Amino acid sequence: MNRNDSLFFTAVMLFFVFFAGAATKKTAVSDLRCEYKTNPLGIGDLNPRLSWKIVSEKNDQMQTGYHVLVATSPKLLKAGKADLWDSGKIDSEQCIQVNYQGRQLESGQRCYWAVRIWDKDKEATSWSEPAWFEMGMLNPSDWKSDWIKTAIEFEEYSYPAPHFRKEFEVAKKIKSARLYCTSLGLYEFFLNGERVGDQVFTPGWTSFANRLQYQVYDVTPMLKNGTNAAGIVLGNGWYRAFRPNSNQAQEIKDLEVLAQLELVYTDGTKTFIGTDGTWKSATGAIVKSEIYDGEVYDARLEKTGWNTPGFDDDNWSGVLSTSSSKNLLVSSVSEPVRKIEEIHPVEIIVTPQGDTIVDMGQNMVGWCRLKANCQAGTTIRLQHAEVLDKDGNFYTTNLRTAKQEIIYTFKGEGIEEYEPHFTFQGFRYVKVSGYPGTVNKNMLTGVVVHSDLETTGTFSCNNDLINQLQHNIVWGQKGNFLDVPTDCPQRNERLGWTGDAQVFAPTSCFNMNSAAFWTKWLYDLDADQHEDGAVPHVIPNVLQRGGSSGWADAAVIVPWVLYQSYGDKRILQQQYTSMRNWVEFMHSQAGSKNIYVPKDRQFGDWLAFATTRSDYPGATTDKDFLSTAYYYNSVNLLRQIAEILDKTDDALRYKDLQSKIKTAFNREFVTHNGRLSSNTQTAYVVALTFGLLPPELEREAARRLAADVNQFGHITTGFLGTADICHTLSKYGYLDEAYNLLYRKEYPSWLYPVTKGATTIWERWDGIKPDGSFQNPGMNSFNHYAYGAVGDWLYKVVAGIKSDANSPGYKRIIINPHPGNEMNNVRASHESPYGMVTSSWEIKANTFQLTVDIPANTTAEVIIPSTGTTFSVNDNPVKPLEKLDREGLSYHFLRTEIGSGHYVFKTSFSPDIKKL
């Protein structure tokens, strides 16, 4: 059987498989969500957005209409009596971000909803399974309880964690019970001895002077008839986080809590139990707990049963009601931080200096659960580090002043288990001191903690080092997405740097469903933005000033990323004033010359490659060049956003300003031959990516970029240039150069840290130098996601998955893989708002095979590498077998369909072709 016969036989077999089950093909609605969440408690928006996915056994299935019902009870919903909203049939393909448009919703109201759709054949599906969402506290007046703090006076700034308790009676049968809680500081809440919820680090980190989140819990099963007990523990957290060179922490004195328990009885009556002056307070075993320094815990000081009914609290102190505002309280938007997974030690090491080290095998963020049996008074100290030095000794110099240590004193009552409460560490290695026996692997378990974001992306290929790079990118995101997108999770910093955030945002949205996470952070950016429009360097703002180009532009770039990734138009509406204020700030300083020369501190292309070579001064890109380029980019994006939001006057104004900036930029920074004033890789990447050059100079600028890459054989970009260098090279036909950068294993490169054993992305290209020594310990994090921004290129270009810019949120999908170098087998997937998108390709035996999954209610354009052949999927059927003669070579294409949205494309080519 020859190749063509084989392909034809395959086509016939797949054709038979596809049509054999046609009679049983069904379409249904699934995965109902409200504000990106499944059955969420505590919605704060009066017009929440509803989304659903369509599952069909039919190919090319589309939604042509929908019908939403929202009711106050499941019974009404089942009967089709939507007393809150009956949309009727809406002729529309929209199945994401559908605005609720019913009766005005009330605080604490639970809303049950269902949806059905009409398919491409105008046939209605069955109603979906019901889902629900529940409103939070919509008005400050809903809070009947008081802010309280302990009446105990402490002499030292860092004091033991305050404990609060109160007993109350439940006299009737409970229908439902909700706990609403927040704090100034971190809190843990208990009912009848059991911890409420699985969230940690509540209420989260926000712009405390402007916004403070509260959480909502369904505690119905935790209560009982008769006497019940509530308990609360507070920790410093970010609210009182002590950071050197900052006066903010010292200005904030007291930890406070606000809690309200609402009971609804089966007879329809309600009871409120809240924090007030009747509560009691004391301290316990948490002697000290700090974000950066860790926790000191003395188990001998535990108050057994303190949060259960009947505990003797006669010796406890009282509490004081405070006047803290309830007007700043907002519902929680992002997914909470949780304990996500556990890691077990891989090795016990005794260092040359004699220290006992537990190797977790992975640079992680969270803490260790300690399990041991020691006599009363025995104290164990756990110190945490990311790396060992070149001699194999424990290394913590790069932590600067952060101690990140746990000190635990045993009570001596058998095997004791302990986990920290209000602190986290960034580490791989744990130094154990003070243990009287032999340290073993069963003593410590790594508990990985981060915002509980749904995994939505996967990427793998035939190269183990690149697979490890992808692993490192994901773990860098895990470690630094702990309620806030931080730069690092270990040293005395751990801040939401805006520059790191904007370059990594696209990759983050591939890896995880990051929409709500970024939305929450953007609300804080808006809240902390200065009156003149300048955007702080970090969000939440603890460093005061800002306005650095490429950093502050996160105000515009991140909302745009969310719009492109999730079709989220509302985030553009909500952040529009913030975006415009930042652009106007730049405009006020640029003036009529339209060259932005900032007055504030500029970080530029942070940590770009530096060298001592006499013939090359390094890769420093002029900051005025970068500032003007980012000025143009933000104006360009704001112009597009104004058009999307029908702000016609703004759109015209920014279009005119955009043109003026481009003219000024080319006059100031570009020669007539296409050479840039800053002759660096980052300069060319930024100019080409932002569209700053005249069309006639783009190719020459791209050639100069590729020539620089080839001259040095490696990347020289810093934070601002790294994200787009491979994109730019690929776009202008220099795919080989992009792949060479990816495959390079020597410093500087993405794979160099992998060869040094990295399990996360490093802050610097050479955090560990080739000779084994370390970079400057003042700034040398080994868990820093910024350089992991290359992940966006792996998904979009190597695997070829991206959303059409004109149909955001993956309503229209482009599959355009780019094989190169030694890459011959790639598998990638992304759970889009509409469903799973996959692109898997393989080159084997002179055949390129591409397998694609496209979700229902979307269309796709599939481009076969190197041939220029394009297939339309889900909207325009094509022939199953085609032949194309191109440049004297014969290519054969096979297109088959298997089940819903599953397509296989095969291309055979001559054996003398080394790669597509």
Side-chain angles (χ1 to χ4, degrees):
M1 182 181 294
N2 62 35
R3 179 181 300 277
N4 288 341
D5 290 339
S6 176
L7 293 177
F8 179 76
F9 176 74
T10 304
V12 172
M13 290 300 294
L14 294 175
F15 185 88
F16 174 78
V17 171
F18 173 65
F19 282 100
T24 61
K25 292 174 181 177
K26 297 179 180 179
T27 299
V29 179
S30 68
D31 198 10
L32 276 63
R33 300 195 182 201
C34 175
E35 293 298 329
Y36 298 103
K37 300 177 183 179
T38 302
N39 297 338
L41 285 168
I43 293 294
D45 197 306
L46 286 171
N47 297 102
R49 295 165 296 175
L50 309 177
S51 302
W52 57 88
K53 293 175 183 175
I54 300 164
V55 178
S56 180
E57 296 173 354
K58 298 179 181 179
N59 271 57
D60 308 334
Q61 188 57 277
M62 300 293 292
Q63 173 186 298
T64 58
Y66 68 82
H67 186 183
V68 175
L69 298 178
V70 186
T72 55
S73 74
K75 185 176 181 180
L76 287 173
L77 189 68
K78 186 175 182 180
K81 298 179 180 179
D83 56 338
L84 290 176
W85 183 37
D86 184 338
S87 73
K89 182 184 178 184
I90 306 295
D91 293 327
S92 171
E93 293 183 2
Q94 185 179 5
C95 68
I96 64 171
Q97 317 284 355
V98 175
N99 291 333
Y100 169 84
Q101 299 178 49
R103 284 171 44 192
Q104 182 167 325
L105 301 174
E106 301 174 354
S107 295
Q109 186 173 35
R110 176 166 287 200
C111 308
Y112 299 86
W113 68 288
V115 62
R116 62 173 173 169
I117 65 115
W118 281 261
D119 65 14
K120 65 179 182 178
D121 299 318
K122 312 299 182 182
E123 295 182 1
T125 66
S126 300
W127 286 99
S128 68
E129 291 296 318
W132 56 263
F133 59 91
E134 186 170 301
M135 305 305 291
M137 296 282 206
L138 301 178
N139 304 291
S141 60
D142 294 327
W143 291 90
K144 313 299 182 185
S145 49
D146 299 330
W147 280 102
I148 62 171
K149 65 180 181 180
T150 179
I152 303 171
E153 294 186 3
F154 302 99
E155 295 182 359
E156 295 184 0
Y157 177 78
S158 184
Y159 51 75
H163 289 49
F164 302 83
R165 75 179 308 274
K166 179 182 176 63
E167 294 189 9
F168 59 93
E169 298 295 320
V170 174
K172 294 182 286 186
K173 186 175 181 180
I174 294 176
K175 178 182 177 182
S176 66
R178 297 290 182 271
L179 170 66
Y180 302 85
C181 191
T182 187
S183 60
L184 297 174
L186 301 178
Y187 74 84
E188 290 182 352
F189 201 103
F190 299 85
L191 281 173
N192 296 324
E194 298 294 327
R195 192 176 186 279
V196 174
D198 59 358
Q199 305 180 24
V200 296
F201 296 105
T202 49
W205 190 9
T206 54
S207 172
F208 294 129
N210 301 289
R211 302 175 65 250
L212 179 63
Q213 295 182 135
Y214 65 87
Q215 286 72 43
V216 186
Y217 306 91
D218 183 350
V219 294
T220 309
M222 302 185 72
L223 298 173
K224 62 182 182 178
N225 284 341
T227 304
N228 292 260
I232 306 170
V233 185
L234 298 183
N236 286 344
W238 296 284
Y239 181 70
R240 299 182 77 250
F242 178 80
R243 294 186 62 255
N245 305 319
S246 171
N247 293 322
Q248 182 181 12
Q250 287 84 341
E251 295 170 359
I252 300 172
K253 299 298 183 183
D254 298 316
L255 298 176
E256 301 180 20
V257 63
L258 175 70
Q260 188 162 304
L261 186 62
E262 298 192 2
L263 310 183
V264 178
Y265 298 109
T266 54
D267 63 5
T269 59
K270 295 182 180 180
T271 300
F272 298 89
I273 298 100
T275 45
D276 58 22
T278 64
W279 287 59
K280 289 194 171 184
S281 66
T283 60
I286 305 174
V287 178
K288 177 181 178 180
S289 191
E290 303 283 356
I291 288 289
Y292 299 101
D293 283 351
E295 189 162 293
V296 179
Y297 190 94
D298 189 339
R300 298 170 299 178
L301 301 178
E302 292 176 348
K303 292 178 169 58
T304 304
W306 70 273
N307 49 21
T308 61
F311 177 79
D312 183 2
D313 59 11
D314 288 346
N315 294 325
W316 281 43
S317 300
V319 300
L320 300 175
S321 295
T322 76
S323 59
S324 294
S325 176
K326 299 174 186 175
N327 295 324
L328 304 180
L329 299 178
V330 296
S331 62
S332 297
V333 173
S334 179
E335 288 81 357
V337 179
R338 289 190 172 98
K339 296 186 283 188
I340 303 298
E341 60 186 295
E342 295 186 352
I343 293 179
H344 299 284
V346 297
E347 186 179 7
I348 305 295
I349 301 169
V350 177
T351 70
Q353 293 180 348
D355 296 323
T356 299
I357 309 296
V358 179
D359 179 4
M360 305 307 297
Q362 170 66 50
N363 196 6
M364 56 168 281
V365 173
W367 54 73
C368 280
R369 181 169 61 246
L370 172 65
K371 183 178 181 181
N373 185 348
C374 290
Q375 293 182 354
T378 303
T379 298
I380 287 183
R381 184 185 187 195
L382 304 179
Q383 296 171 274
H384 302 77
E386 295 184 290
V387 293
L388 304 179
D389 67 18
K390 63 180 180 180
D391 297 320
N393 290 310
F394 197 65
Y395 179 81
T396 58
T397 308
N398 69 319
L399 303 181
R400 304 193 301 214
T401 62
K403 294 180 181 179
Q404 63 164 13
E405 65 181 6
I406 301 298
I407 299 175
Y408 181 84
T409 300
F410 287 80
K411 58 187 174 183
E413 298 178 4
I415 296 176
E416 299 177 34
E417 286 194 23
Y418 160 81
E419 293 185 33
H421 300 79
F422 303 117
T423 188
F424 63 90
Q425 291 81 44
F427 67 100
R428 172 175 172 172
Y429 299 96
V430 184
K431 177 181 173 181
V432 182
S433 306
Y435 182 62
T438 301
V439 175
N440 61 76
K441 295 180 183 179
N442 295 326
M443 282 181 58
L444 298 181
T445 301
V447 180
V448 178
V449 174
H450 56 82
S451 290
D452 191 8
L453 308 186
E454 173 191 4
T455 298
T456 55
T458 64
F459 177 92
S460 64
C461 66
N462 58 294
N463 185 286
D464 290 340
L465 294 179
I466 295 173
N467 290 337
Q468 183 65 43
L469 171 65
Q470 170 66 10
H471 170 97
N472 294 0
I473 293 170
V474 171
W475 275 86
Q477 183 170 349
K478 288 180 179 182
N480 285 291
F481 272 38
L482 201 155
D483 203 55
V484 166
T486 58
D487 60 328
C488 60
Q490 74 297 94
R491 67 186 180 217
N492 63 329
E493 191 168 358
R494 313 185 192 188
L495 303 177
W497 284 93
T498 49
D500 308 47
Q502 67 91 357
V503 298
F504 188 71
T507 299
S508 76
C509 292
F510 268 111
N511 289 336
M512 302 176 189
N513 186 343
S514 304
F517 177 87
W518 285 116
T519 298
K520 176 255 184 188
W521 185 75
L522 286 169
Y523 289 171
D524 288 307
L525 185 151
D526 184 19
D528 277 340
Q529 192 167 3
H530 298 292
E531 289 186 6
D532 61 3
V535 177
H537 300 320
V538 299
I539 303 295
N541 181 23
V542 296
L543 299 182
Q544 303 312 313
R545 195 53 191 168
S548 179
S549 295
W551 267 250
D553 295 277
V556 183
I557 294 172
V558 176
W560 182 251
V561 169
L562 297 188
Y563 174 69
Q564 289 293 327
S565 300
Y566 303 104
D568 193 334
K569 186 176 178 180
R570 182 176 291 182
I571 195 65
L572 302 182
Q573 297 167 332
Q574 293 171 326
Q575 297 298 121
Y576 187 80
T577 300
S578 169
M579 292 186 275
R580 185 176 58 193
N581 288 346
W582 165 240
V583 166
E584 292 301 331
F585 172 82
M586 290 187 286
H587 182 53
S588 69
Q589 294 198 7
S592 60
K593 293 182 178 180
N594 295 304
I595 297 296
Y596 179 36
V597 182
K599 299 175 183 178
D600 296 290
R601 179 187 178 187
Q602 299 296 298
F603 298 110
D605 190 29
W606 191 249
L607 296 183
F609 174 74
T611 179
T612 57
R613 284 173 45 178
S614 59
D615 61 333
Y616 185 64
T620 301
T621 305
D622 181 73
K623 292 178 180 178
D624 294 350
F625 177 102
L626 288 172
S627 295
T628 303
Y630 268 92
Y631 176 32
Y632 174 86
N633 184 58
S634 284
V635 170
N636 179 29
L637 293 179
L638 187 58
R639 186 263 308 166
Q640 296 179 64
I641 292 166
E643 292 173 352
I644 292 167
L645 300 180
D646 297 322
K647 297 181 181 292
T648 306
D649 291 345
D650 278 3
L652 291 174
R653 177 170 178 267
Y654 290 125
K655 182 177 181 180
D656 178 64
L657 180 58
Q658 179 185 345
S659 176
K660 292 177 179 177
I661 299 170
K662 186 172 184 176
T663 299
F665 179 90
N666 280 272
R667 182 177 59 246
E668 185 78 10
F669 301 115
V670 186
T671 72
H672 67 279
N673 290 324
R675 189 181 190 278
L676 304 183
S677 59
S678 287
N679 195 36
T680 65
Q681 291 177 16
T682 289
Y684 288 102
V685 167
V686 167
L688 289 167
T689 299
F690 293 168
L692 273 159
L693 303 179
E696 64 272 16
L697 293 183
E698 287 186 0
R699 290 293 170 186
E700 173 59 19
R703 185 197 66 78
R704 290 177 180 273
L705 169 63
D708 192 89
V709 170
N710 286 325
Q711 176 185 356
F712 295 103
H714 60 72
I715 198 167
T716 65
T717 54
F719 280 19
L720 298 185
T722 297
D724 289 313
I725 186 168
C726 287
H727 279 298
T728 306
L729 290 168
S730 304
K731 177 182 178 181
Y732 288 97
Y734 296 98
L735 185 64
D736 286 348
E737 283 77 4
Y739 264 105
N740 288 342
L741 292 181
L742 176 66
Y743 271 84
R744 177 180 168 86
K745 294 187 285 292
E746 298 77 25
Y747 160 76
S749 68
W750 285 289
L751 296 186
Y752 169 74
V754 175
T755 67
K756 291 292 186 178
T759 60
T760 45
I761 298 296
W762 293 354
E763 180 177 20
R764 294 177 176 269
W765 292 118
D766 60 341
I768 299 176
K769 298 180 180 180
D771 65 1
S773 62
F774 292 116
Q775 255 286 1
N776 182 350
M779 191 170 56
N780 196 24
S781 163
F782 293 96
N783 194 348
H784 223 89
Y785 57 59
Y787 286 145
V790 69
D792 186 63
W793 182 75
L794 294 177
Y795 281 111
K796 288 181 179 176
V797 178
V798 176
I801 298 175
K802 66 179 179 179
S803 177
D804 188 327
N806 296 317
S807 298
Y810 296 86
K811 177 60 176 168
R812 181 165 181 81
I813 301 159
I814 297 175
I815 303 293
N816 186 15
H818 288 71
N821 207 293
E822 300 173 1
M823 199 81 75
N824 58 36
N825 191 316
V826 169
R827 299 181 182 276
S829 68
H830 177 61
E831 183 67 30
S832 78
Y834 294 90
M836 183 64 73
V837 181
T838 69
S839 173
S840 301
W841 58 263
E842 182 179 23
I843 300 174
K844 187 177 181 180
N846 302 326
T847 298
F848 174 85
Q849 177 168 309
L850 171 64
T851 303
V852 174
D853 286 290
I854 303 299
N857 204 32
T858 67
T859 59
E861 182 179 283
V862 180
I863 302 170
I864 305 301
S866 189
T867 69
T869 301
T870 301
F871 295 98
S872 294
V873 173
N874 278 12
D875 63 352
N876 184 21
V878 297
K879 298 177 183 179
L881 186 64
E882 298 185 13
K883 179 178 179 180
L884 173 70
D885 290 318
R886 181 170 178 265
E887 298 177 358
L889 300 174
S890 180
Y891 297 80
H892 297 274
F893 300 92
L894 172 67
R895 174 189 187 271
T896 59
E897 304 172 354
I898 313 172
S900 173
H902 187 74
Y903 303 86
V904 179
F905 301 85
K906 284 187 178 181
T907 305
S908 61
F909 53 90
S910 301
D912 59 326
I913 300 177
K914 302 301 181 185
K915 62 180 178 181
L916 288 175

